[in-house]
Amino acid sequence: MKEWLRQNLQYLPPGLDATSSTSHQLWSGLLRAGWSDQETPSEVRLILPGKGDAAVGAVLGDEVSPGENETSEASFGLEFQLRDFIAQNIGGIDIQGKRLELYVDPTGRDGIEFPTAVGPIDILAVDRAGAFFVFELKRARSPDHAMGQLTRYMGWVKQTIGRGHDVNGVIVAKDISESLRYAVSVVPNVSLFEYEVEFHLRPANEVKEWAT
């Protein structure tokens, strides 16, 4: 989405930047500007006002690779919802026995959709020893190419802001494929996690009695 907006600045929502603004901010800004969203079995689209199902919206979608379709179980509808949940709870997530916090660069830019020369990192975190943790998030089934994306970001961190520090990778998805498990088995500094979404409903019609 960011790349498309950088090439089509006339559609950029006022007050936002196609590089520094997060996908969540850009998505919300487009919806406020009259765009509509539409989810299909293969992608999530943003549709240009007045264009109906025109292809302009299709290129903005949170694309899902073949085999990555949603399961029937509850899952995050959009990847940024998964990202924001993990970012807000990063201090309570145990990765390799380490407690993490969001990375913040010298300019004050935090580690949510952290910009790099090879693409934005979903979440960039650090532990108390200064080791970096690069998160690659998938809202449904994690495809094989997630490993390539992750190692690309890890390589960039290792050669730039992470010089002299350990760099670890974390892939989070609704389902981790067996082939990805094999790939990660030979990369000791990469961890795999599957998430679960649960919610419960309870009757709330009864009026509470006031104590006298």
Side-chain angles (χ1 to χ4, degrees):
M1 178 171 65
K2 286 190 171 186
E3 181 62 31
W4 189 89
L5 285 171
R6 281 193 286 266
Q7 297 174 9
N8 297 271
L9 293 176
Q10 69 272 27
Y11 296 115
L12 188 65
L16 297 179
D17 181 86
T19 299
S20 61
S21 297
T22 67
S23 293
H24 192 177
Q25 291 170 328
L26 293 169
W27 188 285
S28 298
L30 289 171
L31 292 179
R32 289 194 300 270
W35 292 65
S36 58
D37 54 0
Q38 176 188 77
E39 186 164 0
T40 74
S42 60
E43 64 185 353
V44 179
R45 300 178 174 183
L46 276 171
I47 308 299
L48 184 66
K51 294 294 185 179
D53 293 331
V56 172
V59 300
L60 292 173
D62 176 16
E63 295 185 357
V64 182
S65 301
E68 195 184 357
N69 295 339
E70 297 290 351
T71 67
S72 58
E73 300 178 35
S75 59
F76 285 91
L78 296 173
E79 202 163 291
F80 65 71
Q81 294 174 322
L82 173 60
R83 181 204 65 210
D84 289 351
F85 177 84
I86 291 177
Q88 291 166 9
N89 295 277
I90 194 72
I93 299 175
D94 186 336
I95 306 291
Q96 300 177 12
K98 307 294 179 62
R99 295 296 181 179
L100 309 182
E101 60 184 30
L102 289 178
Y103 171 72
V104 179
D105 72 11
T107 70
R109 178 72 164 83
D110 67 29
I112 301 175
E113 283 213 351
F114 190 80
T116 77
V118 293
I121 296 173
D122 289 333
I123 296 176
L124 182 60
V126 291
D127 66 13
R128 293 182 178 179
F132 284 82
F133 289 77
V134 178
F135 283 72
E136 177 66 20
L137 311 178
K138 297 299 179 184
R139 66 192 181 96
R141 185 172 179 81
S142 185
D144 292 350
H145 71 247
M147 190 64 180
Q149 291 177 291
L150 180 67
T151 53
R152 182 171 69 245
Y153 300 141
M154 291 173 64
W156 181 89
V157 171
K158 189 66 175 179
Q159 297 299 319
T160 55
I161 59 177
R163 285 182 179 272
H165 297 277
D166 291 336
V167 178
N168 305 276
V170 182
I171 297 177
V172 181
K174 184 70 174 67
D175 293 296
I176 299 295
S177 66
E178 194 67 18
S179 56
L180 184 57
R181 297 178 201 272
Y182 281 119
V184 170
S185 68
V186 295
V187 186
N189 58 335
V190 173
S191 302
L192 300 176
F193 287 88
E194 293 178 334
Y195 71 82
E196 295 181 357
V197 178
E198 293 185 13
F199 71 95
H200 304 278
L201 299 178
R202 59 182 176 83
N205 295 75
E206 293 184 6
V207 177
K208 293 183 179 179
E209 295 184 4
W210 290 92
T212 58

